[in-house]
Amino acid sequence: MTETMAPLSAHASRQELLKTIDLLLARVDELQASNTELERLRATDPLTGCWNRGQFDNAVVLELDRSLRYHHPLSLLLIDIDHFKKVNDTLGHKAGDRVLKELAATIRSGIRIIDGL
């Protein structure tokens, strides 16, 4: 240090440290939000927001285990859209996408938040 530069006071050093900690905590919050979003993207279909196959398989294993452990009933619903290929073939994939989105929205409106879709 040159003679013309005064050393930082204890107060200034503390303030700089607190500022750095605040910046780091803000960055941690951003990273946690990004990780949450990445997890959602990993587990869901981008078109409908429904669970993808991997998430569904994991949930079935966990819920079956919970059902057996606590002797609670377990309900599982699998849906097949009759003649869906015909919708895509005759009306196009955009129409098929709308059907899937609407079906997912309709089901979502009738289930609890805790239920998986």
Side-chain angles (χ1 to χ4, degrees), residues 64-77:
L64 183 58
D65 182 55
R66 183 191 335 249
S67 174
L68 294 171
R69 183 173 54 246
Y70 296 113
H71 306 287
H72 290 160
L74 173 66
S75 296
L76 176 66
L77 178 66

Side-chain angles (χ1 to χ4, degrees), residues 32-79:
Q32 287 175 332
S34 293
N35 284 337
T36 298
E37 178 63 7
L38 284 172
E39 178 59 25
R40 185 192 65 77
L41 291 171
R42 180 207 60 79
T44 59
D45 173 71
L47 179 67
T48 63
C50 296
W51 289 347
N52 62 26
R53 177 63 185 266
Q55 182 66 20
F56 174 81
D57 289 347
N58 289 338
V60 166
V61 169
L62 292 174
E63 292 302 324
L64 183 58
D65 182 55
R66 183 191 335 249
S67 174
L68 294 171
R69 183 173 54 246
Y70 296 113
H71 306 287
H72 290 160
L74 173 66
S75 296
L76 176 66
L77 178 66
L78 298 175
I79 298 174

Side-chain angles (χ1 to χ4, degrees), residues 8 60 88 108:
L8 288 176
V60 166
N88 276 337
R108 193 172 282 112

Side-chain angles (χ1 to χ4, degrees), residues 12 24-25 33 37 54 56 63 65 70 80 83 87 92 96 100-102 114 116:
L24 287 172
L25 290 173
E37 178 63 7
F56 174 81
E63 292 302 324
D65 182 55
Y70 296 113
D80 179 52
H83 312 291
V87 171
L100 294 173
K101 286 181 188 179
E102 284 296 318
I114 196 170

